[in-house]
Amino acid sequence: GAAQGWSAMPKYSHEARPSKPIVNCRSRATSWVDVGDDSALFSAGGIGGWTFANLVSRFGNVSFRFSDQHGEMMSLSTYSKYITNPEGLSDDSPLGIYDSEFGDDLPTNVLLQEYSVPSCFSPDLFDLMDDSPNFDDPCGIISEKIKPNTAIPTDDDGGNDTRPEQSVVSQAIEKVPRPPYRWVLIGPERSGTGMHVDPLWTNAWVTVLQGLKRWLLFPPSTPYESIGMVEGKPQTPSSIWFRDYYDKVSSQSWPKEFQPVEVLQYPGETVFVPAGWPHLVLNLELTVAVTHNYAAEFGPFQKMWDEVAREEEDFGRRWYSGLKKFGRDDLAS
């Protein structure tokens, strides 16, 4: 499914597209419906949608990030040259754009006006963070509350850029920090994301705007080392993972309780990734997607709370304060 009126959706040919969407958020009370070939979403309100070519025409001189872990950036126009030159065409695992700060900068903040979060997903509890500019915890009360294993209720189950070609680092908009949670994803054939579990026990949704993604998602009980997630070792690129592991996990001898969910994701389809599920993604062609991670009160809330307290202590203080401020004492008690 995709959001009705979502101007990020490009025009796309749907030959050989599966008959059912991956996530169906159909509801009269929401704006989310199935996407058909005649949907206005594919004309993107006349602005061309989030095809790679259109993003280059709009933001070609803007630098986008390759990762949350380092500061390397590249302008979209230069990236376009990379993925079409011999290096990009022959690389086993080409570089992909994973920009968690799009929309936080000028001029890319306009992109946030071109889509909305699917209403079929629960609200993001991290949105309740206390973003007061003068936030303080002088007595350490909140710091004490957010220690791991604190008793908390659980539920078990703009226009073409005509400037000369140059890399322009977008101007940051001042904001209160929170863990990265939304990304624009761009990558050519053979790029993707290696096997991993999303941080902070968050759920995620991913919508493809152009291209084709192949997914494998494993139950949380799957032994990590058996699927290539080895502590202390770098993540295996998804294209290499398929070469080294796919035959094993798809064989008759692979335990049924660890059998993966396999998905081919087409434009207009949304994949939901439950918290704690190891997964990897391989782009089968040049692909553009948008994704959000979000905190849900349904599921292993205690695990999420403990990980926030360990990994994001400053944010945890603000989140605890916000839960109290916005009346969620049931979660912040």
Side-chain angles (χ1 to χ4, degrees):
Q4 191 172 34
W6 189 356
S7 59
M9 186 61 61
K11 179 68 178 177
Y12 198 89
S13 172
H14 277 214
E15 295 179 6
R17 180 183 174 187
S19 59
K20 293 184 179 179
I22 295 164
V23 172
N24 184 351
C25 302
R26 188 182 302 172
S27 170
R28 291 184 180 181
T30 75
S31 61
W32 280 69
V33 296
D34 288 342
V35 177
D37 291 333
D38 58 347
S39 171
L41 298 174
F42 292 96
S43 65
I47 67 169
W50 285 20
T51 62
F52 181 65
N54 188 51
L55 290 174
V56 171
S57 72
R58 297 173 67 190
F59 306 106
N61 291 340
V62 176
S63 291
F64 283 72
R65 297 161 182 83
F66 289 119
S67 170
D68 300 327
Q69 308 302 321
H70 54 70
E72 282 78 0
M73 304 174 72
M74 183 182 291
S75 71
L76 276 189
S77 59
T78 301
Y79 183 71
S80 179
K81 296 173 184 176
Y82 159 72
I83 64 175
T84 55
N85 72 15
E87 180 183 4
L89 292 172
S90 60
D91 195 337
D92 287 341
S93 181
L95 290 172
I97 288 173
Y98 300 86
D99 195 332
S100 64
E101 298 186 30
F102 87 95
D104 294 333
D105 304 341
L106 295 171
T108 61
N109 64 317
V110 298
L111 294 173
L112 299 184
Q113 303 169 22
E114 297 176 11
Y115 75 96
S116 58
V117 174
S119 57
C120 58
F121 298 125
S122 61
D124 185 358
L125 289 178
F126 286 170
D127 283 343
L128 299 181
M129 175 188 72
D130 187 340
D131 60 359
S132 303
N134 297 320
F135 174 83
D136 195 9
D137 181 23
C139 299
I141 297 173
I142 296 173
S143 298
E144 183 66 24
K145 287 288 188 181
I146 68 165
K147 286 182 178 179
N149 299 318
T150 300
I152 292 187
T154 63
D155 187 336
D156 291 335
D157 264 348
N160 294 345
D161 195 329
T162 59
R163 292 173 293 176
E165 173 65 21
Q166 58 181 339
S167 178
V168 177
V169 178
S170 49
Q171 179 181 351
I173 299 173
E174 185 175 354
K175 65 187 182 73
V176 175
R178 62 169 282 181
Y181 71 102
R182 64 172 177 245
W183 291 262
V184 60
L185 311 174
I186 303 173
E189 181 181 353
R190 301 184 311 283
S191 65
T193 307
M195 189 68 67
H196 68 287
V197 175
D198 284 350
L200 305 181
W201 282 87
T202 52
N203 298 324
W205 58 265
V206 183
T207 296
V208 166
L209 290 311
Q210 173 188 347
L212 181 63
K213 287 182 177 290
R214 184 175 185 180
W215 292 73
L216 265 76
L217 303 95
F218 289 84
S221 59
T222 306
Y224 284 2
E225 290 196 2
S226 70
I227 53 174
M229 292 177 60
V230 181
E231 187 175 358
K233 291 189 176 181
Q235 186 183 85
T236 301
S238 54
S239 58
I240 306 301
W241 188 97
F242 271 96
R243 183 196 67 189
D244 294 346
Y245 288 92
Y246 182 74
D247 287 346
K248 179 178 75 170
V249 304
S250 60
S251 69
Q252 293 294 325
S253 61
W254 183 253
K256 289 186 178 180
E257 63 268 31
F258 305 143
Q259 185 174 355
V261 176
E262 297 195 50
V263 175
L264 280 178
Q265 184 187 14
Y266 290 77
E269 293 179 340
T270 297
V271 167
F272 169 69
V273 183
W277 281 60
H279 57 282
L280 87 163
V281 189
L282 178 67
N283 293 323
L284 301 183
E285 57 189 61
L286 177 59
T287 302
V288 179
V290 64
T291 179
H292 280 214
N293 282 62
Y294 67 98
E297 61 186 286
F298 310 105
F301 187 89
Q302 182 68 55
K303 291 182 178 179
M304 178 173 59
W305 182 268
D306 288 346
E307 190 161 338
V308 167
R310 285 193 301 268
E311 303 296 332
E312 299 285 349
E313 185 176 348
D314 290 341
F315 168 74
R317 293 190 183 97
R318 286 182 174 273
W319 186 36
Y320 177 83
S321 176
L323 290 172
K324 300 287 287 185
K325 177 186 293 188
F326 295 108
R328 293 309 309 264
D329 291 329
D330 57 321
L331 299 177
S333 60

